[in-house]
Amino acid sequence: MCSRQTDRMGDILATEADLLGMIKEFLKFEDFEDTIHSFDKECKSKGKLVSKPQGSALRDYKTLNIQKDLLSSFDDGDHKVFFELWTENIPSEVKDTDPEAQSLEFYLHIHFTIYPLRRHPGRHDRAEFEERISFFKQYLETRGAALSQTTKFLPYYALPFVPNPTVHPSFKDLFQDSWIPQLKDKLEHFLSVTLKPSNTPRLLNLYKEGGRSTKDTIQQLQLQLVESDRRTASYVRKYNKMQADYHNLIGITAELVDSLEATVSGKMISPEYLQSVCVRLFSSQMRQSVVQSTDFTRPGTGYYSMSPYDDGYASSMLRASIAPPRSKEVPMLPSLDYVKLKKDLCEGPDRLRSLLLQALRWRLTRSLPGEQRDTVLQAYISNDVLEHYSTKQKSVLHLMRSKSEIVRQYMARLINAFASLAEGRVYLSQTPILLKLLTEALRTEEKESLTRENVLVALQRLSLRRSQQTPMIADDLIGWLVDELQDSDCLSDYTLEYAAALLMNLCLRTKGKRKCAENAKHVLKVLTDLLGHENHEIRPYVNGALYSILCIPSVRQEAKEMSVEEILRCYSKEENPDLNRQIEFIIKQLNSAEEEGPESDDEEEEDDNDEDLMEADPDTEEVLQPQPRELCGESLLTTEYLGIMTNMAKSKRKTSPLQRTSIDEPLQRPVTPSSHRNVGAVDYRSSEGGSLPPSRHNSRPPSRSGSRPSTADSLRHSIDSECGRLSQESELEGPYEGRARKGHSQEEHNGHTASGGL
């Protein structure tokens, strides 16, 4: 036992002496002469041993061994050992930036690749050579890719694909006797310069190497994570789109097989049935074009001879092939300490506030649709994450008035995420101060700022609920919208579309119509000007607003004095049947003699547009990026705010099915652009007001400066243009997901729409 203690004490003293020696070496390197004198004196008085500096000799010995091992591996053709030593000992700043090092590394890869051919010409191990070729290919596709633009290296990129490089004229220099000695001389010179021992103290080297390696690793992992997230989101969108198309086609195929079996029994296929199949076969943007361009009243003649099958057997097999699998358990996200979280949101620094708002939004938007997302939303609501029940003077919602633009923006994004879900809209509608904060931001934020865009989208989605329409109208939001739309050329397509849709929703209410009647001439002027706007996406909302307000006699009188009917007739000359029918409805309303109906704003009416409008939450415009070693997103929540497991799943409310009406009938229920695009020819109706059916010019909002392409070109064009969209997506932060292609001219747009079909 005493012997072990003696050995341990000896190790401690040796380590202590070595450490004191490193300290003295550092002080000497920095010329702290007085400090060294005091250091030596105090160590001597305390009986501390100070080892003599041996760093230089040790480093020389270590460097010499590394050089010998590299050169030995070069001679033996051992590429694995060589490049392992090369990676560990050649500084990354030299390997990645020094042209001489990059050139030498390229030729070294060639040397190790052709080594079997030089060592055993004519009888080399084919498997070994293939392995080296594969290793060389991997290098060319990664580190060597940067040299592909250099002329002298370009021929060697064909080396992996040449069956016998020894006889190929492009590579004859590689097999000359002088090539390897010359390459080895270059390697020796490079190693002697690069691995030359420095006089840097060991203490400083330890500090530098430890901190740098950790920082480099974290930065590399962060870059890999961002790239992986981007690829994953892209693959998920493509997969979901392909799966949805596949299921749709199999379902239609099953019905067609049923129909073929029925013809064997002498049953006829009706034109209406064929029309319904085509409506389902094509995307919602193309349905009307295809249906109108196809004559279903000319059924084929004659029958094909078919073998008898049991009734419906084949189609049943097809349907069985796409039967949904048994539902798998979806993991629940960890519960959070919402008390601490809300406290930091109210009292923390702006940077932390922004990161928390971002993390809360990501948890909601990146959760899996269904039980997982419902549980996240229910946890937010039950813990009152926005503090709408709070009696404090400043709650989380008051972050909309923060002095930091980033905090305001990320607060608006979180509110928009809540407004994208039906239950979220119910929660927001119970907060009286919310509309005041949003309309205040709408009027004060800069045009085209991300904060104002998210506020506008949130308000538009909240306008699906009658309880929110009334205070919006009372706050003169209609007047603000009309003034904004007057200068439509200064608005992005996205802002223009949601502003027009919000205006239409408010005009469906009796109070909204009367508000428009107060300045009827101005409102009519703006709406008729918008009919000629190049963005056809706003047509259904402009037409709907016109149709609604024209039920007021004073507005009709003003419209007649302004010759609105003649203006509408000008637009009806366009080769667009949908638009023409909508305009006919507006003209009919204009010329009606009906008196204004009774006010229905006080009537109890259920909000039955309860669909979720959430889509994948992309990060293409995330202005807030984490700094090195800074927690963000889910890692921030689960590291700093992990709470007791309180998550409880909640059954989702059943929504009323959407009513299908004729495309000729006017829209008479509030809509949002995402749901309007998704339902295509589906209309909404209520007891008051109305607007017109959706146009066929339905596509996603593009970039701020771009124009939308036609979506009624052909089936192939439709599939190509939509293959990147998630099948279940509607719209969360539309301007960021849907901003895409530019290009089609107005003539192309109208041409595609007029031709339609295939």
Side-chain angles (χ1 to χ4, degrees), residues 104-159:
L104 178 61
E105 185 178 2
F106 190 92
Y107 285 120
L108 286 170
H109 273 279
I110 293 176
H111 161 69
F112 287 111
T113 301
I114 65 173
Y115 183 83
L117 302 181
R118 295 184 59 93
R119 184 71 178 273
H120 306 290
R123 55 183 181 85
H124 62 273
D125 187 341
R126 189 67 189 176
E128 181 188 3
F129 180 63
E130 291 295 337
E131 179 189 351
R132 291 172 181 258
I133 284 290
S134 177
F135 187 76
F136 185 51
K137 281 183 181 178
Q138 183 180 0
Y139 165 74
L140 294 179
E141 293 169 358
T142 53
R143 290 184 55 80
L147 300 176
S148 61
Q149 306 301 319
T150 307
T151 306
K152 68 175 182 177
F153 297 118
L154 196 57
Y156 300 111
Y157 283 80
L159 179 60

Coordinates of all heavy atoms in Angstrom, one line a residue, residues 104-159:
L104 N -0.1 19.1 -54.9 CA 0.6 17.9 -54.5 C -0.4 16.8 -54.0 O -0.1 15.6 -54.3 CB 1.5 18.3 -53.3 CG 2.3 17.1 -52.7 CD1 3.3 16.5 -53.7 CD2 3.1 17.7 -51.5
E105 N -1.4 17.2 -53.3 CA -2.4 16.2 -52.8 C -3.1 15.5 -54.0 O -3.3 14.3 -54.0 CB -3.4 16.8 -52.0 CG -4.4 15.9 -51.4 CD -5.5 16.6 -50.5 OE1 -5.4 17.8 -50.3 OE2 -6.3 15.8 -49.9
F106 N -3.3 16.2 -55.1 CA -3.9 15.6 -56.3 C -3.0 14.6 -56.9 O -3.5 13.4 -57.2 CB -4.2 16.7 -57.3 CG -5.1 16.3 -58.4 CD1 -6.5 16.4 -58.4 CD2 -4.5 15.8 -59.6 CE1 -7.3 16.0 -59.5 CE2 -5.3 15.3 -60.7 CZ -6.7 15.5 -60.6
Y107 N -1.8 14.9 -57.1 CA -0.8 13.9 -57.7 C -0.6 12.8 -56.7 O -0.3 11.6 -57.2 CB 0.5 14.6 -58.0 CG 0.4 15.5 -59.3 CD1 0.6 16.9 -59.2 CD2 0.0 15.0 -60.5 CE1 0.5 17.7 -60.3 CE2 -0.1 15.8 -61.6 CZ 0.1 17.1 -61.5 OH 0.0 17.9 -62.6
L108 N -0.6 13.0 -55.4 CA -0.4 11.9 -54.5 C -1.6 10.9 -54.6 O -1.4 9.7 -54.6 CB -0.4 12.4 -53.1 CG 0.9 13.1 -52.7 CD1 0.8 13.8 -51.3 CD2 2.1 12.1 -52.7
H109 N -2.8 11.4 -54.8 CA -3.9 10.5 -55.1 C -3.7 9.7 -56.3 O -4.1 8.5 -56.4 CB -5.2 11.3 -55.1 CG -5.8 11.5 -53.8 ND1 -6.6 10.6 -53.1 CD2 -5.8 12.6 -53.0 CE1 -7.0 11.1 -52.0 NE2 -6.5 12.3 -51.8
I110 N -3.2 10.3 -57.4 CA -3.0 9.6 -58.6 C -1.9 8.5 -58.4 O -2.0 7.4 -58.8 CB -2.5 10.6 -59.7 CG1 -3.6 11.5 -60.1 CG2 -2.0 9.8 -60.9 CD1 -3.2 12.6 -61.1
H111 N -0.8 8.9 -57.6 CA 0.2 7.9 -57.3 C -0.3 6.6 -56.7 O 0.0 5.5 -57.1 CB 1.3 8.6 -56.4 CG 2.2 7.6 -55.7 ND1 3.1 6.8 -56.4 CD2 2.3 7.2 -54.4 CE1 3.7 6.0 -55.5 NE2 3.2 6.3 -54.3
F112 N -1.1 6.8 -55.6 CA -1.7 5.7 -54.9 C -2.7 4.9 -55.7 O -2.8 3.7 -55.5 CB -2.3 6.1 -53.6 CG -1.2 6.5 -52.6 CD1 -1.1 7.9 -52.2 CD2 -0.4 5.6 -52.0 CE1 -0.1 8.2 -51.2 CE2 0.6 5.9 -51.1 CZ 0.7 7.3 -50.7
T113 N -3.4 5.6 -56.6 CA -4.3 4.9 -57.5 C -3.7 4.0 -58.5 O -4.1 2.8 -58.7 CB -5.2 6.0 -58.2 OG1 -5.9 6.8 -57.3 CG2 -6.3 5.3 -59.1
I114 N -2.6 4.4 -59.1 CA -2.0 3.6 -60.1 C -0.8 2.7 -59.6 O -0.1 2.1 -60.3 CB -1.4 4.5 -61.3 CG1 -0.3 5.4 -60.7 CG2 -2.5 5.3 -61.9 CD1 0.4 6.2 -61.8
Y115 N -0.6 2.8 -58.2 CA 0.5 2.0 -57.6 C 0.5 0.5 -58.0 O 1.5 0.0 -58.4 CB 0.4 2.2 -56.1 CG 1.6 1.5 -55.4 CD1 2.8 2.1 -55.3 CD2 1.4 0.2 -54.8 CE1 3.9 1.5 -54.6 CE2 2.5 -0.4 -54.2 CZ 3.7 0.2 -54.1 OH 4.7 -0.4 -53.4
P116 N -0.7 -0.2 -58.0 CA -0.7 -1.6 -58.3 C -0.3 -1.8 -59.8 O 0.3 -2.8 -60.1 CB -2.1 -2.0 -58.1 CG -2.7 -1.0 -57.1 CD -2.0 0.3 -57.5
L117 N -0.6 -0.9 -60.7 CA -0.3 -1.0 -62.1 C 1.2 -0.9 -62.3 O 1.8 -1.5 -63.2 CB -1.0 0.0 -62.9 CG -2.5 0.0 -62.8 CD1 -3.1 1.1 -63.8 CD2 -3.1 -1.3 -63.3
R118 N 1.9 0.0 -61.5 CA 3.3 0.2 -61.6 C 4.1 -1.0 -60.9 O 5.1 -1.4 -61.4 CB 3.8 1.5 -61.0 CG 3.2 2.7 -61.7 CD 3.8 4.0 -61.1 NE 5.2 4.0 -61.1 CZ 5.9 4.6 -62.1 NH1 5.3 5.2 -63.1 NH2 7.3 4.5 -62.1
R119 N 3.6 -1.4 -59.8 CA 4.3 -2.4 -59.0 C 4.2 -3.8 -59.7 O 5.2 -4.5 -59.7 CB 3.6 -2.5 -57.6 CG 4.3 -3.4 -56.6 CD 5.7 -2.9 -56.2 NE 6.4 -3.7 -55.2 CZ 6.2 -3.7 -53.9 NH1 5.4 -2.8 -53.4 NH2 6.9 -4.5 -53.1
H120 N 3.0 -4.1 -60.2 CA 2.9 -5.4 -60.8 C 2.2 -5.3 -62.2 O 1.0 -5.6 -62.3 CB 2.0 -6.4 -59.9 CG 2.5 -6.5 -58.5 ND1 3.7 -7.2 -58.2 CD2 2.0 -6.0 -57.3 CE1 3.9 -7.1 -56.9 NE2 2.9 -6.4 -56.3
P121 N 2.9 -4.7 -63.1 CA 2.3 -4.5 -64.4 C 1.8 -5.8 -65.1 O 2.6 -6.8 -65.1 CB 3.4 -3.8 -65.2 CG 4.6 -4.2 -64.5 CD 4.3 -4.3 -63.1
G122 N 0.6 -5.9 -65.5 CA 0.1 -7.0 -66.2 C -0.5 -8.1 -65.3 O -1.2 -9.0 -65.8
R123 N -0.1 -8.1 -64.0 CA -0.6 -9.2 -63.1 C -1.1 -8.6 -61.8 O -0.9 -9.2 -60.7 CB 0.5 -10.2 -62.9 CG 1.8 -9.7 -62.4 CD 2.8 -10.8 -62.3 NE 4.1 -10.3 -61.8 CZ 4.4 -10.1 -60.5 NH1 3.5 -10.5 -59.6 NH2 5.6 -9.7 -60.1
H124 N -1.6 -7.3 -61.8 CA -2.0 -6.7 -60.6 C -3.3 -7.3 -60.1 O -4.1 -7.9 -60.9 CB -2.1 -5.2 -60.8 CG -3.2 -4.8 -61.8 ND1 -2.9 -4.7 -63.2 CD2 -4.5 -4.5 -61.7 CE1 -4.0 -4.4 -63.8 NE2 -4.9 -4.3 -63.0
D125 N -3.6 -7.0 -58.8 CA -4.8 -7.5 -58.2 C -5.9 -6.6 -58.6 O -6.0 -5.4 -58.3 CB -4.6 -7.5 -56.7 CG -5.9 -8.1 -56.0 OD1 -6.9 -8.2 -56.6 OD2 -5.7 -8.4 -54.8
R126 N -6.9 -7.1 -59.4 CA -7.9 -6.3 -60.0 C -8.8 -5.7 -58.9 O -9.3 -4.6 -58.9 CB -8.8 -7.1 -60.9 CG -9.8 -6.3 -61.7 CD -9.1 -5.4 -62.7 NE -10.0 -4.5 -63.3 CZ -9.6 -3.5 -64.2 NH1 -8.3 -3.3 -64.4 NH2 -10.5 -2.6 -64.7
A127 N -9.1 -6.5 -57.8 CA -10.0 -6.0 -56.8 C -9.3 -4.9 -56.0 O -10.0 -3.9 -55.7 CB -10.3 -7.2 -55.8
E128 N -8.0 -5.0 -55.8 CA -7.3 -3.9 -55.1 C -7.3 -2.6 -56.0 O -7.5 -1.5 -55.5 CB -5.9 -4.3 -54.8 CG -5.1 -3.2 -54.1 CD -3.6 -3.5 -54.0 OE1 -3.2 -4.6 -54.5 OE2 -2.9 -2.7 -53.4
F129 N -7.1 -2.8 -57.3 CA -7.1 -1.6 -58.2 C -8.5 -1.0 -58.2 O -8.6 0.3 -58.2 CB -6.7 -2.1 -59.6 CG -6.7 -0.9 -60.6 CD1 -5.9 0.1 -60.4 CD2 -7.6 -0.9 -61.7 CE1 -5.8 1.2 -61.3 CE2 -7.6 0.1 -62.6 CZ -6.7 1.2 -62.4
E130 N -9.6 -1.8 -58.2 CA -11.0 -1.2 -58.2 C -11.2 -0.4 -56.9 O -11.9 0.6 -56.9 CB -12.0 -2.3 -58.3 CG -12.0 -3.0 -59.7 CD -12.4 -2.1 -60.8 OE1 -13.1 -1.1 -60.5 OE2 -12.1 -2.3 -62.0
E131 N -10.7 -0.9 -55.8 CA -10.9 -0.2 -54.5 C -10.2 1.1 -54.5 O -10.7 2.1 -54.1 CB -10.3 -1.1 -53.4 CG -10.4 -0.4 -52.0 CD -9.6 -1.1 -50.9 OE1 -9.1 -2.3 -51.2 OE2 -9.5 -0.6 -49.8
R132 N -9.0 1.2 -55.1 CA -8.2 2.4 -55.2 C -8.9 3.4 -56.2 O -8.9 4.6 -56.0 CB -6.8 2.2 -55.6 CG -6.0 1.5 -54.6 CD -4.6 1.0 -55.1 NE -3.8 0.4 -54.0 CZ -2.9 0.9 -53.3 NH1 -2.5 2.2 -53.5 NH2 -2.2 0.2 -52.4
I133 N -9.5 2.9 -57.3 CA -10.2 3.7 -58.2 C -11.4 4.3 -57.5 O -11.7 5.5 -57.7 CB -10.7 2.9 -59.4 CG1 -9.5 2.6 -60.4 CG2 -11.8 3.6 -60.2 CD1 -9.0 3.8 -61.1
S134 N -12.1 3.5 -56.7 CA -13.3 4.0 -56.0 C -12.9 5.1 -55.0 O -13.5 6.2 -54.9 CB -13.9 2.9 -55.2 OG -15.0 3.4 -54.4
F135 N -11.7 5.0 -54.3 CA -11.2 6.0 -53.4 C -10.9 7.3 -54.1 O -11.1 8.4 -53.7 CB -10.0 5.4 -52.7 CG -9.5 6.3 -51.6 CD1 -10.1 6.3 -50.3 CD2 -8.3 7.0 -51.8 CE1 -9.6 7.1 -49.3 CE2 -7.8 7.9 -50.8 CZ -8.5 7.9 -49.5
F136 N -10.3 7.1 -55.3 CA -9.9 8.3 -56.2 C -11.2 9.0 -56.6 O -11.2 10.2 -56.7 CB -9.1 7.8 -57.3 CG -8.5 8.9 -58.2 CD1 -7.9 10.0 -57.6 CD2 -8.7 8.9 -59.6 CE1 -7.4 11.1 -58.4 CE2 -8.2 10.0 -60.3 CZ -7.5 11.0 -59.7
K137 N -12.2 8.2 -57.0 CA -13.5 8.9 -57.4 C -14.1 9.7 -56.3 O -14.5 10.8 -56.5 CB -14.5 7.8 -57.8 CG -14.3 7.2 -59.2 CD -15.4 6.2 -59.5 CE -15.3 5.6 -60.8 NZ -16.4 4.6 -61.1
Q138 N -14.0 9.1 -55.1 CA -14.6 9.9 -54.0 C -13.8 11.2 -53.7 O -14.4 12.2 -53.4 CB -14.5 9.0 -52.7 CG -15.1 9.6 -51.5 CD -15.0 8.7 -50.3 OE1 -14.4 7.6 -50.3 NE2 -15.5 9.2 -49.1
Y139 N -12.5 11.1 -53.9 CA -11.7 12.3 -53.8 C -12.1 13.4 -54.8 O -12.2 14.6 -54.5 CB -10.2 12.0 -53.8 CG -9.3 13.2 -54.1 CD1 -9.1 14.1 -53.0 CD2 -8.7 13.5 -55.3 CE1 -8.3 15.2 -53.2 CE2 -7.9 14.6 -55.5 CZ -7.7 15.4 -54.5 OH -6.9 16.5 -54.7
L140 N -12.2 12.9 -56.1 CA -12.5 13.8 -57.2 C -13.9 14.5 -56.9 O -14.1 15.7 -57.4 CB -12.6 13.1 -58.5 CG -11.2 12.5 -59.0 CD1 -11.4 11.8 -60.3 CD2 -10.2 13.7 -59.2
E141 N -14.8 13.8 -56.3 CA -16.1 14.4 -56.1 C -16.2 15.3 -54.9 O -17.2 16.0 -54.7 CB -17.2 13.2 -55.9 CG -17.3 12.4 -57.2 CD -18.1 11.2 -57.0 OE1 -18.5 10.9 -55.8 OE2 -18.4 10.4 -57.9
T142 N -15.2 15.2 -54.0 CA -15.2 16.1 -52.8 C -14.1 17.1 -52.8 O -14.3 18.2 -53.4 CB -15.0 15.1 -51.6 OG1 -13.9 14.3 -51.7 CG2 -16.3 14.3 -51.4
R143 N -12.9 16.8 -52.2 CA -11.9 17.8 -52.2 C -11.3 18.1 -53.5 O -10.8 19.2 -53.8 CB -10.7 17.3 -51.2 CG -11.1 17.2 -49.8 CD -10.0 16.8 -48.9 NE -8.8 17.6 -49.1 CZ -8.6 18.8 -48.5 NH1 -9.6 19.3 -47.7 NH2 -7.5 19.5 -48.8
G144 N -11.3 17.1 -54.4 CA -10.7 17.4 -55.7 C -11.5 18.1 -56.7 O -11.1 18.5 -57.8
A145 N -12.8 18.3 -56.3 CA -13.7 19.0 -57.3 C -13.3 20.4 -57.6 O -13.6 20.9 -58.7 CB -15.2 18.9 -56.7
A146 N -12.7 21.0 -56.7 CA -12.3 22.4 -56.9 C -11.2 22.6 -58.0 O -11.1 23.7 -58.6 CB -11.7 23.0 -55.6
L147 N -10.5 21.5 -58.3 CA -9.4 21.6 -59.3 C -9.9 21.2 -60.7 O -9.1 21.2 -61.6 CB -8.3 20.7 -58.9 CG -7.6 21.0 -57.6 CD1 -6.5 20.0 -57.3 CD2 -7.0 22.4 -57.6
S148 N -11.2 20.9 -60.8 CA -11.7 20.4 -62.1 C -11.7 21.6 -63.2 O -11.9 21.3 -64.4 CB -13.2 19.9 -62.0 OG -14.0 20.9 -61.5
Q149 N -11.6 22.8 -62.7 CA -11.6 23.9 -63.6 C -10.1 24.3 -64.1 O -10.0 25.2 -64.9 CB -12.2 25.2 -63.0 CG -13.6 24.9 -62.5 CD -14.6 24.5 -63.5 OE1 -14.5 25.0 -64.7 NE2 -15.4 23.5 -63.2
T150 N -9.2 23.6 -63.5 CA -7.8 23.8 -63.9 C -7.4 22.9 -65.1 O -7.5 21.7 -65.0 CB -6.8 23.6 -62.7 OG1 -7.3 24.3 -61.6 CG2 -5.4 24.0 -63.0
T151 N -6.8 23.5 -66.1 CA -6.5 22.8 -67.3 C -5.6 21.6 -67.1 O -5.8 20.5 -67.7 CB -5.9 23.7 -68.4 OG1 -6.8 24.8 -68.6 CG2 -5.8 23.0 -69.7
K152 N -4.5 21.8 -66.4 CA -3.5 20.7 -66.3 C -4.0 19.5 -65.5 O -3.5 18.4 -65.7 CB -2.3 21.3 -65.6 CG -2.4 21.6 -64.1 CD -1.1 22.0 -63.5 CE -1.2 22.4 -62.0 NZ 0.2 22.7 -61.5
F153 N -5.1 19.7 -64.7 CA -5.6 18.5 -63.9 C -6.8 17.9 -64.7 O -7.2 16.7 -64.3 CB -6.1 19.0 -62.6 CG -5.0 19.5 -61.7 CD1 -5.0 20.8 -61.2 CD2 -3.9 18.7 -61.3 CE1 -4.0 21.3 -60.4 CE2 -2.9 19.1 -60.5 CZ -2.9 20.5 -60.1
L154 N -7.4 18.6 -65.6 CA -8.6 18.1 -66.2 C -8.5 16.7 -66.8 O -9.4 15.9 -66.7 CB -9.1 19.1 -67.3 CG -10.5 19.0 -67.8 CD1 -11.5 19.1 -66.6 CD2 -10.9 20.1 -68.8
P155 N -7.4 16.3 -67.6 CA -7.4 15.0 -68.2 C -7.4 13.8 -67.1 O -7.9 12.8 -67.4 CB -6.0 15.0 -68.9 CG -5.7 16.4 -69.1 CD -6.3 17.1 -68.0
Y156 N -7.0 14.1 -65.9 CA -6.9 13.0 -64.9 C -8.3 12.7 -64.4 O -8.4 11.7 -63.7 CB -5.9 13.4 -63.8 CG -4.5 13.6 -64.3 CD1 -4.0 14.9 -64.3 CD2 -3.8 12.6 -64.8 CE1 -2.7 15.1 -64.8 CE2 -2.5 12.8 -65.3 CZ -1.9 14.1 -65.3 OH -0.7 14.3 -65.7
Y157 N -9.3 13.5 -64.6 CA -10.6 13.2 -64.1 C -11.2 12.1 -64.9 O -12.3 11.5 -64.5 CB -11.5 14.5 -64.2 CG -11.3 15.4 -63.1 CD1 -10.2 16.3 -63.2 CD2 -12.1 15.5 -62.0 CE1 -9.9 17.2 -62.1 CE2 -11.9 16.4 -61.0 CZ -10.8 17.2 -61.0 OH -10.5 18.1 -60.0
A158 N -10.6 11.7 -66.1 CA -11.1 10.6 -66.9 C -10.4 9.3 -66.4 O -10.8 8.2 -66.9 CB -10.8 10.8 -68.3
L159 N -9.4 9.4 -65.6 CA -8.6 8.2 -65.2 C -9.5 7.0 -64.6 O -9.3 5.9 -65.0 CB -7.6 8.6 -64.1 CG -6.7 7.5 -63.6 CD1 -5.9 6.8 -64.7 CD2 -5.7 8.0 -62.5

